């Protein structure tokens, strides 16, 4: 009988950490996106993700955010150092699905891979920016999460592709602006 009870206790203790990871999870995150490529658009973003952990590895969720970006509308003139590109700040609202896979380790630091796939709604701040349309985006990222007394803190590095289109006139010429890419650095907290 002692062996059965000991075996039962060992099984419960071994299963308890796995089942504690199953269920609903909330996450908040702040990130700074650095533009790369032609447009070099920067953004500051706050996000909330509500997700479901199917086990201690896989989470699926949905998220929403609010960001501020400085969109480039006209390029800098080549050969003129004092003529910089025209930029204008605007808000955007990303709505997305989130997938996260955390590597199963026995360590306190747990690496993970995550991907956001969604649509950004552009909120223009002026008539000039009204031509701008944002749309589909994808953001794969890698990160680490560390346990805290309550919850977990996370650090993340990612790459974001953002669909964008805008046509406007500048100095009598029609300028078409396209999609852009960013490197994203984030810090967050999981409840």
């Amino acid at each position: 009988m002692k062996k059965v009870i000991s075996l039962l206790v060992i099984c419960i203790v071994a299963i308890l950490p796995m089942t504690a990871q199953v269920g609903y999870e909330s996450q908040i995150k702040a990130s700074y996106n650095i533009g790369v490529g032609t447009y070099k658009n920067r953004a500051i973003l706050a996000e909330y993700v509500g997700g479901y952990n199917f086990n201690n590895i896989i989470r699926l969720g949905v998220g929403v955010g609010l960001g501020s970006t400085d969109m480039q509308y006209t390029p800098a003139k080549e050969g003129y150092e004092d003529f910089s590109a025209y930029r204008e700040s605007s808000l955007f609202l990303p709505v997305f699905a989130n997938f996260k896979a955390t590597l199963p380790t026995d360590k306190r630091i747990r690496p993970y891979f995550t991907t956001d796939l969604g649509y950004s709604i552009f909120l223009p701040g002026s008539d000039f920016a009204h031509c701008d349309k944002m749309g589909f985006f994808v953001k794969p990222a890698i990160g680490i999460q560390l346990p805290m007394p309550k919850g977990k803190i996370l650090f993340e590095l990612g790459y974001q592709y953002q669909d964008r289109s805008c046509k406007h006139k500048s100095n009598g010429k029609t300028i078409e602006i396209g999609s852009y890419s960013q490197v994203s650095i984030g810090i967050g907290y999981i409840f």
Side-chain angles (χ1 to χ4, degrees), residues 65-133:
L66 181 62
S68 175
T69 184
D70 69 333
M71 295 288 204
Q72 179 178 327
Y73 287 95
T74 59
K77 280 190 179 174
E78 292 182 32
Y80 296 91
E81 292 181 22
D82 59 341
F83 184 84
S84 61
Y86 177 70
R87 296 184 168 279
E88 191 169 295
S89 294
S90 295
L91 298 176
F92 63 99
L93 181 74
V95 179
F96 54 94
N98 173 265
F99 167 80
K100 181 179 175 189
T102 305
L103 295 177
T105 65
D106 294 334
K107 309 282 186 207
R108 288 181 43 86
I109 297 174
R110 297 195 62 202
Y112 65 87
F113 168 78
T114 185
T115 299
D116 295 340
L117 182 65
Y119 192 88
S120 289
I121 300 163
F122 187 69
L123 307 170
S126 71
D127 289 339
F128 189 82
H130 197 67
C131 73
D132 219 325
K133 305 282 186 257

Side-chain angles (χ1 to χ4, degrees):
M1 184 68 170
K2 274 185 164 182
K3 287 182 181 181
V4 172
I5 292 174
S6 297
L7 186 59
L8 186 59
V9 168
I10 289 171
C11 288
I12 290 172
V13 169
I15 292 172
L16 196 57
M18 287 184 195
T19 58
Q21 301 296 323
V22 175
Y24 184 76
E25 176 177 87
S26 294
Q27 171 185 305
I28 56 171
K29 184 172 63 175
S31 57
Y32 179 70
N33 295 357
I34 304 160
V36 295
T38 305
Y39 300 110
K40 300 198 178 7
N41 296 328
R42 297 175 300 258
I44 296 173
L45 181 65
E47 297 175 343
Y48 170 80
V49 175
Y52 187 82
N53 288 319
F54 292 93
N55 51 38
N56 63 346
I57 299 173
I58 303 295
R59 180 187 77 192
L60 292 177
V62 294
V64 65
L66 181 62
S68 175
T69 184
D70 69 333
M71 295 288 204
Q72 179 178 327
Y73 287 95
T74 59
K77 280 190 179 174
E78 292 182 32
Y80 296 91
E81 292 181 22
D82 59 341
F83 184 84
S84 61
Y86 177 70
R87 296 184 168 279
E88 191 169 295
S89 294
S90 295
L91 298 176
F92 63 99
L93 181 74
V95 179
F96 54 94
N98 173 265
F99 167 80
K100 181 179 175 189
T102 305
L103 295 177
T105 65
D106 294 334
K107 309 282 186 207
R108 288 181 43 86
I109 297 174
R110 297 195 62 202
Y112 65 87
F113 168 78
T114 185
T115 299
D116 295 340
L117 182 65
Y119 192 88
S120 289
I121 300 163
F122 187 69
L123 307 170
S126 71
D127 289 339
F128 189 82
H130 197 67
C131 73
D132 219 325
K133 305 282 186 257
M134 292 175 92
F136 168 80
F137 77 90
V138 61
K139 183 170 71 172
I142 57 171
I144 58 170
Q145 63 187 35
L146 303 144
M148 301 298 285
K150 289 188 176 184
K152 302 169 202 150
I153 191 165
L154 60 91
F155 301 95
E156 195 171 278
L157 178 65
Y159 168 83
Q160 179 167 328
Y161 168 82
Q162 175 68 60
D163 191 29
R164 174 187 181 205
S165 65
C166 180
K167 290 182 184 179
H168 68 89
K169 293 203 182 277
S170 176
N171 297 329
K173 295 180 183 177
T174 299
I175 296 175
E176 291 188 41
I177 299 171
S179 304
Y180 61 90
S181 299
Q182 297 172 317
V183 172
S184 178
I185 301 166
I187 184 169
Y189 189 78
I190 299 171
F191 297 94

